[in-house]
Amino acid sequence: MDAELKSNLINILIRKRRWFQWASLSFLALIPVLYLNKIYLIRGNYFSLGIWKAEFMDPVFVLQNLLINFGLTTAMIMGILIPALIAFFTGKTFCSFVCPYNLVAELLAKLIGKKEKTTKTVSFMKAKYYWLIFGGWLVLTAIAAFPLIYFFSMPGQISVFLGDLILFKAAGLESLIILGVLLIDLLILRRAWCRLICPVGAMLQRFHAPFGLRVKFEETSCLCDFDNSPCQKSCPLYLDPKQKNLYPFCYNCGECTTICARYGQALSMKFNLKKPALKN
Amino acid sequence: MFRAILRILTDLKPVLRPPGAVKESEFLKRCIRCRRCVEVCPFRSIKVIKSRIDKQTGTPVIVPREVPCYLCMKCPPECPTGALKPIREKQEVRMGIARLNNETCLPYQGILCRACYERCPFYREAIILRDEIYPEVVEDKCVGCGICENVCPNEEPSIVVIGRRTDGR
């Protein structure tokens, strides 16, 4: 009963995902508007956020600071707690529910995708490469010796773009990076930014517990054509949810489980709290 | 107008950082360009460098001719990365230092003016009047808030604040 209630709740949240995404984008625009109205309750953006006395900070920026300055501040330690805890239990849900870049990319991909109707998924890479790319970011940052990821953190760049547009009525050159990443990501790399490259997501995935929220596939319940299934088509990251090595690439948006509910209900989002009983 | 000023200022090194900033090389490493200092400043004094892509992109600056720093000391504790260090007394701030241009400053030209002298938050300490007429900057007391530069009646301000780089605080 309890488990059923929990899974229902997860399904409801997943179906309201767009709502969360738009709320997140409006929240970013709200911060500078509040400031202009002399309300200083919420300061910052998705690099670092202060709500009254509570601190939030992008974990990859904490790691970056550790690499460049060899130290942490109390605000960083406090700020990393909640993002790390959310990632620990639910994986990269920041990417699928909050990140404004993903919202824009998903909407644009839908617009472009209608013409092509591509169903082909991206062939899987090994998880090793995912972490190698993340390591590459860290090495680059250490060599540059200044917060280089500032330019490539898409949630941060979009929040800064919105904030500066409202506060100063000016857009900086660095905002062109958003456009560049968006173009390459959508037209050439087929959403590889969110799936593979983004350092913000990779850092969050690092915290994802093995028993945290994951997409589960029960082969016996699957009714669809294996190579051309609705779940495959629904995945915004061009993944095939039926495959075993879905992580670290999947960001738990749950689109595949929603679509699968109309077919065999082979896919579901579950916490894997029970110990695996498979080992006999 | 604003962007033009920013561009001039960013080319004119060193720039004026918010109060409590650690020394420039350290500042560029620590600041994550999150704009929280910008969004806590009640006077809208803090601007952001946006005109180019390099290490300074996105870092906070104060453009005294637009809005100077009124030393409310709200931004240092807001900084999450320690790029701005909290300061207890505003006398301890060392953002920059005011430089007076004798060749254009009005009293030196024979026109009575006390704009900077009277507005200086450290009245009769940081800017003194020699012979009750000629303003002079006391370097040990000047914190670099830029109020003098802001109020200078000359079109091209005769007193300009330059960022301090040797002293961290």
Side-chain angles (χ1 to χ4, degrees):
Chain A
M1 271 297 278
D2 197 32
E4 204 171 292
L5 194 78
K6 208 193 282 171
S7 77
N8 276 341
L9 190 70
I10 293 169
N11 287 338
I12 291 166
L13 287 177
I14 285 167
R15 281 184 195 147
K16 297 278 177 213
R17 190 169 68 93
R18 275 284 183 272
W19 192 90
F20 279 96
Q21 288 177 301
W22 282 112
S24 152
L25 196 67
S26 330
F27 175 69
L28 284 179
L30 179 75
I31 298 168
V33 171
L34 283 181
Y35 171 76
L36 291 179
N37 288 295
K38 301 191 190 322
I39 299 166
Y40 309 112
L41 196 69
I42 309 170
R43 294 95 40 197
N45 43 47
Y46 290 150
F47 290 123
S48 166
L49 191 66
I51 301 177
W52 193 52
K53 304 240 176 197
E55 291 277 344
F56 302 88
M57 196 157 165
D58 186 339
V60 80
F61 279 80
V62 177
L63 181 65
Q64 178 179 248
N65 190 76
L66 200 62
L67 280 173
I68 302 171
N69 300 310
F70 315 108
L72 296 174
T73 61
T74 39
M76 284 177 184
I77 296 163
M78 278 164 64
I80 201 174
L81 278 177
I82 291 171
L85 213 65
I86 293 172
F88 181 75
F89 286 110
T90 66
K92 292 195 274 184
T93 39
F94 170 83
C95 307
S96 50
F97 282 74
V98 184
C99 180
Y101 172 81
N102 180 50
L103 174 65
V104 176
E106 268 188 72
L107 293 177
L108 284 178
K110 250 184 192 168
L111 271 179
I112 302 166
K114 264 179 191 161
K115 288 176 201 160
E116 283 183 66
K117 266 202 168 168
T118 45
T119 54
K120 258 206 273 167
T121 55
V122 174
S123 60
F124 266 103
M125 285 177 105
K126 284 176 186 156
K128 189 168 73 177
Y129 295 112
Y130 187 81
W131 301 119
L132 270 176
I133 291 175
F134 183 49
W137 281 118
L138 298 182
V139 170
L140 271 180
T141 314
I143 292 170
F146 84 104
L148 185 78
I149 296 178
Y150 163 74
F151 291 110
F152 299 101
S153 158
M154 285 302 123
Q157 274 300 334
I158 290 181
S159 34
V160 156
F161 169 72
L162 270 179
D164 290 352
L165 201 66
I166 295 169
L167 289 184
F168 306 121
K169 304 190 173 45
L173 277 174
E174 81 261 43
S175 298
L176 287 176
I177 297 172
I178 307 169
L179 210 65
V181 169
L182 208 56
L183 279 177
I184 297 169
D185 191 23
L186 286 173
L187 299 178
I188 305 164
L189 294 173
R190 311 179 92 215
R191 299 305 311 283
W193 187 267
C194 298
R195 191 178 61 239
L196 193 64
I197 305 167
C198 178
V200 180
M203 186 71 216
L204 293 173
Q205 185 60 32
R206 251 329 347 166
F207 291 109
H208 196 182
F211 55 82
L213 194 69
R214 273 163 204 258
V215 173
K216 292 267 154 14
F217 175 58
E218 274 175 58
E219 214 169 343
T220 46
S221 312
C222 184
L223 301 173
C224 308
D225 176 7
F226 195 88
D227 291 320
N228 190 14
S229 57
C231 54
Q232 229 167 281
K233 281 184 214 166
S234 73
C235 180
L237 295 186
Y238 297 92
L239 295 169
D240 183 356
K242 299 187 295 303
Q243 298 209 16
K244 283 240 161 60
N245 44 356
L246 201 55
Y247 294 89
F249 308 100
C250 168
Y251 61 22
N252 279 352
C253 71
E255 292 288 329
C256 53
T257 63
T258 311
I259 203 101
C260 191
R262 288 191 229 150
Y263 299 90
Q265 297 176 1
L267 290 163
S268 59
M269 294 276 275
K270 270 180 190 156
F271 287 101
N272 200 10
L273 288 168
K274 284 173 227 153
K275 278 177 187 169
L278 289 166
K279 283 177 191 169
N280 283 323
Chain B
M1 167 73 175
F2 161 65
R3 289 180 82 179
I5 287 172
L6 258 195
R7 202 158 294 141
I8 292 161
L9 200 112
T10 48
D11 292 337
L12 195 112
K13 289 174 202 171
V15 293
L16 200 61
R17 298 295 182 196
V22 293
K23 68 173 191 233
E24 185 67 5
S25 58
E26 191 80 355
F27 184 84
L28 291 174
K29 281 183 180 181
R30 285 188 181 272
C31 174
I32 56 164
R33 288 85 169 142
C34 70
R35 276 82 158 163
R36 279 179 64 175
C37 48
V38 177
E39 287 174 0
V40 81
C41 177
F43 302 99
R44 299 177 68 178
S45 304
I46 306 176
K47 309 286 193 288
V48 170
I49 297 178
K50 283 189 82 74
S51 55
R52 53 190 197 177
I53 295 188
D54 60 9
K55 279 190 182 188
Q56 300 210 359
T57 309
T59 52
V61 283
I62 289 174
V63 189
R65 208 57 180 158
E66 289 258 307
V67 190
C69 173
Y70 292 103
L71 302 169
C72 70
M73 295 299 123
K74 286 211 169 81
C75 52
E78 184 66 22
C79 181
T81 60
L84 305 179
K85 292 257 189 267
I87 291 176
R88 246 173 273 126
E89 299 292 327
K90 46 185 171 181
Q91 284 90 333
E92 291 171 24
V93 173
R94 287 291 177 270
M95 298 157 65
I97 191 152
R99 296 251 184 257
L100 193 89
N101 185 354
N102 289 355
E103 284 174 15
T104 57
C105 179
L106 294 177
Y108 290 88
Q109 316 309 312
I111 301 159
L112 202 64
C113 172
R114 288 180 165 188
C116 57
Y117 169 75
E118 281 174 359
R119 301 290 186 85
C120 178
F122 302 98
Y123 183 57
R124 297 171 73 176
E125 284 180 32
I127 298 180
I128 52 166
L129 286 187
R130 181 164 51 83
D131 305 334
E132 293 298 309
I133 294 172
Y134 307 107
E136 269 177 6
V137 177
V138 180
E139 299 205 351
D140 291 341
K141 298 277 181 178
C142 177
V143 299
C145 66
I147 294 175
C148 49
E149 184 179 335
N150 185 259
V151 297
C152 181
N154 273 344
E155 196 162 325
E156 191 69 32
S158 300
I159 187 160
V160 175
V161 177
I162 292 160
R164 280 195 208 233
R165 285 299 164 261
T166 44
D167 187 6
R169 286 210 134 181

